[in-house]
Amino acid sequence: MKRNFFLTLTCASMLLPIAAQSQPLASSVSTTATPSLSSATSVNQTSIASSGRFAEPVKAAESGAITVKLTGFVRNDFSYDTRQTVNLREASVDLYPKDKQLDVNGQDINAVTNFNMLAINSRLGVAFTGPDAFGAKTSGLLEMEWFGPSDAAVGGVRLRHAWAKLDWPKRQLAFGQFWHPLFVTEVFPGVVNFNTGIPFQPFNRSPQIRLTEHLGKDVHLILAAIAQRDFTSIGVNAGSSEYMRNSAVPNLHAQLQVKKERVVAGLAFDYKLLRPRLSTGSGTTLLVSDATVGSTALMAYLKVVGRATTFKVEAVKGSNMTDHVMLGGFLAYGTPAVGTTPAVEMSYKPTGITSVWAELVGNGKTVVPAIFVGYCTNTGNDPNAIAAYGRGIGIGGRGGISDLFRVSPRLEVISGKFRLGTELELTKAGIGTSTTDGKVISADQITNTRLLFTTTYSF
């Protein structure tokens, strides 16, 4: 029985139509990324890696045909940090350096170097196409990784993408979990680090319904209604999707994209509404809370492909961007706690950020040099808040972040499906005392330098 099964599987795999390495048609531009032009090698179009590469595409199926292709890679990371960092998954993803923590002798406890080796960033996926449905071409992607669903479950399997698409000549309708539209698969940092440019670059995968209208050969309108799951807002009960679910309003997104052979440009608007609490107070002061906090984000991006280099730039001005692994969150306003009387949060306002990054990448096929630069600043909100919820913000005491800066030159060497990468990442954080408007004063510049080496074998 086993012999017959493997014989059948082998024969079937020999008959599967595998695509040539080519650019996708305009009908799939919005949700199937084009090969990263930071290198001229073929890349994994259905499985975006933090190394900035994708899986080889699968041809559109003929009517009635089914194609299946395994995609993924085996990746190993070797990193060295000059100090302790705020990070995810055993420092696999570093965000920014930790603040100074002085002992009784005035020595900084966090000024300790760190070395790490991890293989949890490896990935496995299945890309497939099937028979036409409703007059549209059909395709999909299922992908998993060993990054783990939380810091307590490093090495565990988690769902990455579960994505199905219907493509008509002038329209695409897609469902499932995929990249949030603020993560533009055509224009994102191709850094060696698995952090993919965060916290300067929006980074989020979410369940969603996405409609793409092809207004012309090069112009596309993207509309989406989005939930939270893999990446969530930070609130009164830490990170959770309940705040958006309790608002009963999905995250709404609109984006206009222009895509030509050597230029990709776009503008995006994003809106979400959270309900941080169902009640305030306790005992005789317990009251239903219907207070909500709305937030918006505006984003502009550009990629220009030259003969020898590719240039990318992106700017984001938004608020409450913690679900995109960025700085900020929201502030609570009301009556502070007095003695045994608990605080009563009556209203909320989001804290703002302005973030910009740029990247210059060589277009070589075997040796690919590049440099990434990012800057982000915290713009806070109104004063007299009684609580703060988010990342890098507060309303008193040490620990708030005023701004972040990063520069990271890198070099990658490619041979067939094997890739070696090295990167020197310098991240500087302005960390100081938070005021009641979520801003920061008396900031000290804290710096971490990460030296990274990676090996990646794609299939």
Side-chain angles (χ1 to χ4, degrees):
M1 183 68 180
K2 290 184 177 179
R3 179 180 179 184
N4 291 337
F5 171 77
F6 286 114
L7 180 60
T8 302
L9 181 62
T10 302
C11 293
S13 65
M14 293 174 64
L15 296 173
L16 294 179
I18 303 302
Q21 298 170 359
S22 60
Q23 298 282 345
L25 299 175
S27 61
S28 63
V29 63
S30 65
T31 55
T32 303
T34 60
S36 169
L37 292 172
S38 60
S39 75
T41 60
S42 102
V43 286
N44 197 329
Q45 186 175 351
T46 57
S47 170
I48 301 173
S50 287
S51 58
R53 310 296 181 257
F54 309 84
E56 293 175 358
V58 178
K59 276 185 178 178
E62 297 176 359
S63 180
I66 297 176
T67 68
V68 178
K69 178 173 173 58
L70 288 176
T71 68
F73 52 82
V74 177
R75 170 173 166 142
N76 287 276
D77 290 43
F78 311 85
S79 64
Y80 174 87
D81 291 288
T82 57
R83 72 176 289 114
Q84 301 295 292
T85 61
V86 175
N87 53 66
L88 304 174
R89 308 300 190 273
E90 296 184 3
S92 171
V93 175
D94 61 311
L95 302 181
Y96 43 82
K98 281 188 176 181
D99 190 13
K100 293 184 293 186
Q101 183 181 2
L102 304 181
D103 68 4
V104 294
N105 297 316
Q107 292 185 311
D108 185 0
I109 295 172
N110 288 326
V112 175
T113 57
N114 183 278
F115 171 72
N116 206 0
M117 297 174 61
L118 288 169
I120 63 173
N121 297 327
S122 300
R123 193 169 303 158
L124 179 64
V126 180
F128 51 90
T129 63
D132 291 357
F134 306 108
K137 299 293 184 182
T138 64
S139 60
L141 171 68
L142 280 173
E143 190 176 60
M144 62 181 178
E145 62 184 355
W146 283 262
F147 195 66
S150 68
D151 287 338
V154 173
V157 176
R158 74 168 180 177
L159 176 68
R160 184 175 171 87
H161 294 302
W163 193 233
K165 299 184 297 179
L166 296 169
D167 276 289
W168 293 272
K170 295 185 177 182
R171 181 175 296 113
Q172 181 187 92
L173 188 60
F175 309 86
Q177 180 164 304
F178 194 67
W179 290 108
H180 191 287
L182 283 176
F183 185 99
V184 181
T185 55
E186 292 84 0
V187 186
F188 69 95
V191 295
V192 171
N193 197 317
F194 201 70
N195 63 29
T196 319
I198 56 176
F200 307 93
Q201 150 82 19
F203 188 97
N204 180 296
R205 290 182 297 273
S206 296
Q208 60 191 278
I209 300 172
R210 188 187 299 192
L211 173 67
T212 302
E213 289 287 336
H214 306 302
L215 304 180
K217 178 183 177 181
D218 304 320
V219 182
H220 314 277
L221 176 64
I222 302 167
L223 302 173
I226 308 158
Q228 290 186 353
R229 180 193 174 276
D230 205 12
F231 297 86
T232 58
S233 297
I234 296 175
V236 297
N237 297 316
S240 175
S241 65
E242 67 176 302
Y243 315 120
M244 179 174 287
R245 289 187 283 113
N246 289 336
S247 77
V249 177
N251 177 187
L252 301 175
H253 184 93
Q255 183 175 153
L256 187 66
Q257 184 182 82
V258 176
K259 182 179 178 182
K260 295 181 176 290
E261 182 180 359
R262 292 186 173 273
V263 176
V264 178
L267 294 171
F269 174 79
D270 199 75
Y271 173 79
K272 63 176 175 280
L273 184 71
L274 307 181
R275 185 174 177 175
R277 290 183 180 273
L278 298 181
S279 65
T280 61
S282 62
T284 58
T285 63
L286 182 65
L287 294 171
V288 170
S289 174
D290 59 1
T292 59
V293 53
S295 57
T296 60
L298 292 171
M299 183 177 75
Y301 57 89
L302 172 69
K303 179 172 75 174
V304 179
V305 182
R307 295 183 60 184
T309 61
T310 294
F311 175 73
K312 309 173 193 174
V313 63
E314 181 177 282
V316 179
K317 186 173 180 59
S319 55
N320 193 16
M321 300 290 287
T322 57
D323 54 321
H324 294 273
V325 202
M326 302 182 79
L327 292 181
F330 59 90
L331 305 177
Y333 298 83
T335 305
V338 178
T340 59
T341 303
V344 178
E345 298 178 357
M346 301 176 63
S347 64
Y348 302 92
K349 295 182 180 181
T351 64
I353 62 167
T354 300
S355 183
V356 62
W357 63 264
E359 184 176 72
L360 186 63
V361 188
N363 290 341
K365 293 184 178 181
T366 57
V367 179
V368 184
I371 185 168
F372 167 88
V373 178
Y375 179 77
C376 179
T377 182
N378 166 25
T379 58
N381 206 306
D382 292 337
N384 302 317
I386 63 172
Y389 304 101
R391 179 178 292 107
I393 61 170
I395 58 163
R398 178 83 181 185
I401 297 178
S402 62
D403 62 324
L404 292 171
F405 170 78
R406 176 178 296 162
V407 58
S408 51
R410 67 180 186 268
L411 181 68
E412 294 182 280
V413 179
I414 305 162
S415 178
K417 297 291 186 179
F418 210 90
R419 181 185 302 268
L420 303 177
T422 186
E423 185 172 68
L424 185 66
E425 179 192 89
L426 184 147
T427 305
K428 183 178 291 187
I431 304 178
T433 301
S434 297
T435 52
T436 61
D437 55 5
K439 298 179 183 178
V440 175
I441 59 174
S442 305
D444 296 320
Q445 296 298 313
I446 312 296
T447 301
N448 174 63
T449 301
R450 166 169 286 201
L451 178 61
L452 180 66
F453 177 74
T454 64
T455 65
T456 307
Y457 179 72
S458 302
F459 56 90

